[in-house]
Amino acid sequence: MDEANKTRITKSTLRAYIMIAILGIIWAYFHWATDSIFLTPRNLSNLMTQMSVTAILAVGMLMVIVSGHIDLSVGSALGFAGGTAAYVLTVLEYGLPSAIIAAIVVGVAIGVFHGVLTAYLNIPAFIVTLGGLLAWRGAVKWLLGGNTIPISDETFKGIGNNNLPLSVGWALATAAIAFVLFMTYRKARSVKDYGLGEANYGGELLKAIIPIGGIVAFIWVMNAYQGVPIPVLILLAVALFGGFLTNSTVFGRYLYAIGGNADAARLSGINNKRNILKVYALLGAFTGVAALIFTARVGSSAPDAGVLKELDAIAACVIGGASLMGGRGTIFGACLGALIMASLDNGMSLLNVRDFMQDIIKGSILVAAVGLDMMGRKQN
């Protein structure tokens, strides 16, 4: 079992390094092709903001995919949740807190509804969420009356457009570095506490140099423009929460077990239905958060808001190493996949690549990623 775990970890780590290398190649090419515009602090800040909505959806989608299911309706659900927030804020004039709560409640309610139909009525998730894709799009058209609702509340729009003050960014970086050092010390100390040998503080500290360097570089680049964007800060919070759930909680390990072999998970005492319901509710909550950022960023809610966002989220998960068969995938990989997708969008837009060609390229990459996943499974 230990050998199998080591092999799985090695493959997962190798896949992560390959994805980072591919991202580096994409960035280098676009920087060269755009006459050194792509890697400027301003464009990188825009790039991180652009990826935040897709990445938040991808975090929730990753958990659903890991459990062996899918959700094709998150784009329509995002539009409906965002439309609800705009309606509550602008038409009903209930204020900002009510608008935020309404969007998240709508997202959770949609997720619970999908979860009940999938887990307790045994309707395939593909059919449930395909119906949801149409139904929630119709719901937002009904809610908005087919019109676009502009939002004038500057505080609400700040959710998608404001930046943290530079000093706050460095304060967060200091806190993040302190946390990394604490976890490094704890990991080294655990080797000695469990009687597995002497604590290797030096070796663990060397391993921590890369994440610490990444934190410093990220804050430095963001502060070189206007500071860390609020959507990116929300994305980091969602990603850390998702990473904690999948790696450090019983619920997260249950999702991998259910996706790996649902029958074996059930026979071992796991309540599959309840956990499937939970994961869809969680995706709904993240969809509500993403809807707030999306609506705030564009400053309005439109009937076609969020169209094809479900495909972007699924593509980010698959490109990041998640298997559509379930049982495999990481939050880091999903976020990395979202960054690759956003980089392609951003770079091709800077190069004035036509819309249809952008869609063809992204679709081809998605098919190639799924094909490589299936080939890898056959080899295993």
Side-chain angles (χ1 to χ4, degrees):
M1 180 65 74
D2 290 342
E3 191 65 30
N5 286 335
K6 286 180 181 178
T7 304
R8 192 177 302 118
I9 292 170
T10 301
K11 287 183 177 178
S12 175
T13 305
L14 178 61
R15 181 187 289 270
Y17 284 133
I18 291 174
M19 296 305 301
I20 292 172
I22 291 174
L23 179 64
I25 293 171
I26 292 172
W27 282 15
Y29 169 74
F30 281 133
H31 191 63
W32 167 78
T34 58
D35 294 330
S36 304
I37 294 176
F38 188 83
L39 291 181
T40 58
R42 177 175 183 173
N43 191 58
L44 288 176
S45 178
N46 290 333
L47 173 62
M48 297 301 294
T49 304
Q50 288 171 3
M51 70 165 278
S52 58
V53 170
T54 301
I56 290 172
L57 293 176
V59 170
M61 185 68 76
L62 184 278
M63 296 185 198
V64 171
I65 288 176
V66 161
S67 69
H69 292 79
I70 195 76
D71 192 333
L72 300 177
S73 69
V74 290
S76 298
L78 180 147
F80 187 43
T84 302
Y87 190 84
V88 170
L89 185 65
T90 305
V91 179
L92 301 181
E93 298 182 347
Y94 282 171
L96 180 61
S98 298
I100 293 174
I101 293 172
I104 295 177
V105 168
V106 166
V108 173
I110 291 174
V112 169
F113 183 64
H114 290 168
V116 168
L117 294 179
T118 301
Y120 290 93
L121 298 184
N122 294 322
I123 303 175
F126 179 86
I127 300 301
V128 169
T129 56
L130 184 61
L133 182 149
L134 298 172
W136 307 126
R137 182 60 60 194
V140 69
K141 289 178 180 176
W142 162 78
L143 180 67
L144 303 181
N147 302 312
T148 297
I149 295 182
I151 296 174
S152 58
D153 190 308
E154 293 299 327
T155 305
F156 182 86
K157 291 196 286 188
I159 296 173
N161 297 290
N162 284 357
N163 298 69
L164 289 178
L166 306 188
S167 57
V168 176
W170 284 119
L172 288 176
T174 303
I177 291 171
F179 179 74
V180 170
L181 291 174
F182 171 73
M183 295 303 294
T184 299
Y185 169 79
R186 187 177 174 184
K187 184 177 180 181
R189 181 65 183 269
S190 65
V191 174
K192 185 177 181 180
D193 291 343
Y194 288 108
L196 301 176
E198 291 298 321
N200 185 5
Y201 294 107
E204 293 297 334
L205 188 60
L206 285 176
K207 293 179 183 177
I209 289 177
I210 293 178
I212 291 175
I215 292 169
V216 173
F218 173 76
I219 297 296
W220 180 78
V221 171
M222 294 296 106
N223 281 358
Y225 181 51
Q226 291 181 340
V228 179
I230 297 296
V232 177
L233 183 67
I234 297 173
L235 164 61
L236 291 174
V238 169
L240 289 174
F241 180 64
F244 171 75
L245 278 182
T246 53
N247 295 319
S248 305
T249 66
V250 174
F251 169 68
R253 306 323 296 173
Y254 281 176
L255 294 181
Y256 284 95
I258 295 170
N261 190 324
D263 290 333
R266 179 176 56 80
L267 293 173
S268 64
I270 298 174
N271 189 330
N272 291 11
K273 295 180 178 179
R274 187 169 62 192
N275 285 289
I276 296 301
L277 176 61
K278 285 181 182 176
V279 78
Y280 270 102
L282 201 57
L283 172 58
F286 290 158
T287 302
V289 174
L292 290 169
I293 295 175
F294 186 91
T295 307
R297 183 165 167 72
V298 299
S300 64
S301 177
D304 62 348
V307 170
L308 295 183
K309 279 296 178 186
E310 59 278 341
L311 296 186
D312 286 345
I314 294 170
C317 294
V318 174
I319 290 172
S323 171
L324 291 177
M325 306 297 288
R328 193 184 73 201
T330 63
I331 298 297
F332 175 77
C335 292
L336 195 57
L339 183 56
I340 289 175
M341 293 289 292
S343 298
L344 291 172
D345 276 336
N346 185 286
M348 288 190 290
S349 296
L350 289 175
L351 292 174
N352 293 321
V353 176
R354 301 282 296 275
D355 286 348
F356 71 89
M357 186 55 68
Q358 292 189 28
D359 293 338
I360 291 173
I361 291 173
K362 289 194 297 182
S364 301
I365 290 173
L366 175 60
V367 173
V370 174
L372 290 173
D373 173 58
M374 299 306 293
M375 290 173 60
R377 278 187 169 262
K378 287 181 180 178
Q379 290 178 356
N380 291 332

